[in-house]
Amino acid sequence: MSLSSATTEVVDPVPGAAAPHLPQQPGLVQLLTPEGERVEHPEYSIDVSDDELRSLYRDLALVRRWDVEATALQRQGELGIWASLLGQEAAQIGAGRALAADDMAFPTYREHGVAWTRGVDPLHVISLFRGVDNGGWDPVDTGFNLYTVVIGAQTLHATGYAMGLQRDGAESATLAFLGDGATSQGEVNEAMIWAASFSAPVVFFCQNNQYAISVPLERQSRVPLYQRAAGFGFPGVRVDGNDVLAVLAVTRAALQAAREGQGPTFIEAFTYRMGAHTTSDDPTRYRLASELEEWKLRDPIARLKAHLSRSGIADQAFFDGIEGEADELAARIRTGTLEMADPPGTAMFDRVYAEQTPQLAAQQAEFEAYQASFEGSGH
């Protein structure tokens, strides 16, 4: 599959974007075709048992149901905002399952699937989007850092953490997630310079979902994103981001190379954001419905389901069981969200520093006095 076939219609084309001097778009690492057929790749092979295949499908299906439920909750006013992963489940589940127990993942604000693979309770993610806390999970316990809203900043965190692992002599690595738009951020380029200079055990995992909010890929880069890694001095690879097996194989190999001291790798997971950037976005303003319909044919869950069905690895009873489990998960998410208690306003001062500073104490006192001024006033 080429980039040109993935974007047959462009709402706002770039002058010269189709110029003949531009390089040809390369193929993808793929182990499972959109029709669900298993294929081999000369550089990336993977042995996956039937139980593992069924487990991967379960992850994909349950994470999508979580995402759908959270989107509905936001539309009903129960969440302040939600960043959907619809269409990107395979990229996240494949990458998350490639992590070893001692590895550390550094997410953006959309890696709900990776959170799932690291054992993070969905309600601990939802509490962030409800405004109850900054994320309810323990990064040390889960190997999954807190969400980062500042675009690209997590790549610096991941590189610094990886350099710490390197100096401690640890045989583990970090996995830094980013989007295609983040590759234009200074922080990302700085992180890759440092990672290359020190051969840090970090893998940069870019989910290229074709749009930096509303800006299409062809307005962001004149070369495939994975080729940028060569300029920093380390390997880059492009994988079919809707193929959970290929993502698992490529990410597992990159992380192992990092642990062995071979330095960083840049992975471009070529996928598609089937929903809005966040629930405050309207994707119909910048892309055509026909493009979305084309990408629905590459749906990551339907692809694996077709493979499981045709190969006899799973029957209808299995799929029905997963659907029932998804219903239970959705009910737990809805109930748990509605039962979340709002924290007191002063909670924002509690965990700024290990010990409260005089300046922070003064700010808290001023805030409390301001709040008290409204008591009994009818406001």
Side-chain angles (χ1 to χ4, degrees), residues 194-228:
W194 276 84
S197 298
F198 290 91
S199 294
V202 55
V203 175
F204 299 99
F205 190 91
C206 175
Q207 292 175 81
N208 177 4
N209 63 18
Q210 312 304 312
Y211 287 92
I213 306 182
S214 59
V215 181
L217 181 64
E218 62 268 19
R219 293 191 69 115
Q220 302 176 55
S221 179
R222 284 292 190 265
V223 298
L225 296 179
Y226 85 97
Q227 290 185 357
R228 292 186 177 186

Side-chain angles (χ1 to χ4, degrees), residues 45-165:
S45 62
I46 187 172
D47 293 323
V48 185
S49 69
D50 291 352
D51 285 342
E52 289 173 316
L53 285 170
R54 286 189 288 265
S55 179
L56 287 170
Y57 179 84
R58 174 181 179 273
D59 286 345
L60 295 172
L62 294 186
V63 165
R64 176 168 291 186
R65 185 58 178 274
W66 166 15
D67 183 72
V68 169
E69 188 65 25
T71 300
L73 284 165
Q74 194 284 327
R75 296 304 189 198
Q76 294 161 11
E78 300 298 339
L79 303 182
I81 197 171
W82 181 251
S84 174
L85 57 62
L86 187 64
Q88 298 178 222
E89 296 91 350
Q92 296 192 15
I93 296 300
R97 288 300 179 200
L99 287 159
D102 293 335
D103 293 335
M104 178 65 80
F106 287 81
T108 65
Y109 45 80
R110 198 188 302 276
E111 272 68 56
H112 321 314
V114 185
W116 174 271
T117 67
R118 302 303 274 176
V120 175
D121 191 316
L123 289 172
H124 286 168
V125 175
I126 286 178
S127 64
L128 167 65
F129 291 90
R130 189 170 170 85
V132 172
D133 53 40
N134 293 320
W137 64 94
D138 182 350
V140 176
D141 181 57
T142 60
F144 185 74
N145 200 48
L146 293 174
Y147 276 12
T148 302
V149 178
V150 178
I151 304 299
Q154 70 280 354
T155 59
L156 288 171
H157 307 157
T159 300
Y161 191 97
M163 292 171 66
L165 294 173

Side-chain angles (χ1 to χ4, degrees), residues 285-296:
R285 298 184 63 182
Y286 54 82
R287 68 186 189 192
L288 300 176
S290 57
E291 181 182 293
L292 176 60
E293 292 302 314
E294 181 182 351
W295 274 93
K296 284 182 179 179

Side-chain angles (χ1 to χ4, degrees), residues 320-340:
D320 290 343
I322 296 297
E323 185 66 24
E325 193 174 354
D327 289 341
E328 293 175 2
L329 175 63
R332 185 173 77 84
I333 288 174
R334 170 164 291 277
T335 300
T337 300
L338 297 180
E339 291 177 349
M340 287 180 187

Side-chain angles (χ1 to χ4, degrees), residues 295-318:
W295 274 93
K296 284 182 179 179
L297 300 176
R298 306 177 185 128
D299 184 279
I301 299 180
R303 179 182 307 201
L304 183 56
K305 184 176 184 179
H307 176 67
L308 294 175
S309 299
R310 292 171 185 171
S311 59
I313 296 174
D315 56 15
Q316 190 58 46
F318 167 79

